[in-house]
Amino acid sequence: LPESQDPSKATVEIKNAYVPANGEYMTSIEVHNPHDFAVDVSGWVVTNSKNVTSARQYPKSKSYCSDVEPKQSDYSCKDIVAWGSCEQGSVKKKGICRKSCGDCRLRSGPLRFTLAAGTVIPSKSSLFITDDVVAYRKSLRQHNMFQHAVGPVDGDLKTYSKKDGFAVYNDLNQKVF
């Protein structure tokens, strides 16, 4: 892990951000460390919000999302989707079939992701923030590619615009990119 770092030197850059307009590909935001030293990005926020304090106040999605099948029933998550029942209060309240229903990330507010404690980007390396870490890694394995991926990115994809782009704020709420 890096020694304590000088906030003025500990910077990163958004090297590439892809947020699809119609869901044809997965969202991915590449956060790159251009330095010859590792950068501890614990608690940093990547967001398209102009107000990082506001972005930090939104809750975070769980990092891993899977289906919890309905208990003691004759139906499955496939049935719930086929019946159009994903939005029913009982399905939401029990947290069942989240993956099948496409309910794995929080979809309100600005796009945002808070990097977990202990997250370090090695020198001259990148990490990728995506909607679905498992699916993203599987898609890369097909091409023998391996990248450090974290997620899911939260927020409403409709709030993204290339004009405004993303900003990165350190744990002191200072804009570093």
Side-chain angles (χ1 to χ4, degrees):
L1 292 174
E3 298 293 322
S4 62
Q5 54 193 17
D6 178 354
S8 66
K9 293 181 182 171
T11 60
V12 295
E13 59 191 27
I14 302 289
K15 198 167 185 181
N16 191 14
Y18 184 72
V19 179
N22 57 6
E24 73 274 25
Y25 297 106
M26 295 178 72
T27 299
S28 66
I29 305 162
E30 181 180 2
V31 181
H32 181 73
N33 173 6
H35 304 292
D36 290 326
F37 53 88
V39 175
D40 183 348
V41 292
S42 299
W44 290 24
V45 174
V46 177
T47 184
N48 67 338
S49 174
K50 303 279 188 229
N51 183 342
V52 68
T53 304
S54 152
R56 285 187 189 274
Q57 291 174 351
Y58 283 91
K60 289 177 21 179
S61 293
K62 293 182 177 165
S63 58
Y64 181 74
C65 179
S66 63
D67 278 336
V68 174
E69 293 286 340
K71 293 181 181 174
Q72 301 172 349
S73 65
D74 295 331
Y75 54 90
S76 68
C77 289
K78 270 187 176 177
D79 296 324
I80 287 177
V81 172
W83 298 332
S85 300
C86 287
E87 296 301 315
Q88 282 190 350
S90 60
V91 172
K92 294 264 188 197
K93 185 177 179 183
K94 292 177 185 174
I96 60 174
C97 305
R98 288 181 61 224
K99 188 168 186 173
S100 293
C101 289
D103 195 22
C104 289
R105 66 180 190 82
L106 299 172
R107 299 177 187 280
S108 61
L111 289 176
R112 66 209 178 272
F113 184 79
T114 303
L115 294 148
T119 304
V120 175
I121 304 176
S123 65
K124 308 280 187 204
S125 296
S126 297
L127 69 78
F128 295 80
I129 302 168
T130 184
D131 273 355
D132 184 335
V133 174
V134 174
Y136 187 77
R137 287 182 179 151
K138 281 181 183 177
S139 71
L140 294 175
R141 272 190 235 129
Q142 296 172 12
H143 307 288
N144 286 329
M145 295 173 64
F146 302 94
Q147 299 171 341
H148 180 63
V150 294
V153 63
D154 287 320
D156 183 356
L157 294 175
K158 294 179 193 129
T159 67
Y160 176 74
S161 79
K162 286 188 179 191
K163 181 183 76 156
D164 296 330
F166 287 97
V168 180
Y169 296 88
N170 66 17
D171 52 338
L172 303 173
N173 285 349
Q174 298 167 328
K175 188 174 181 178
V176 295
F177 180 82

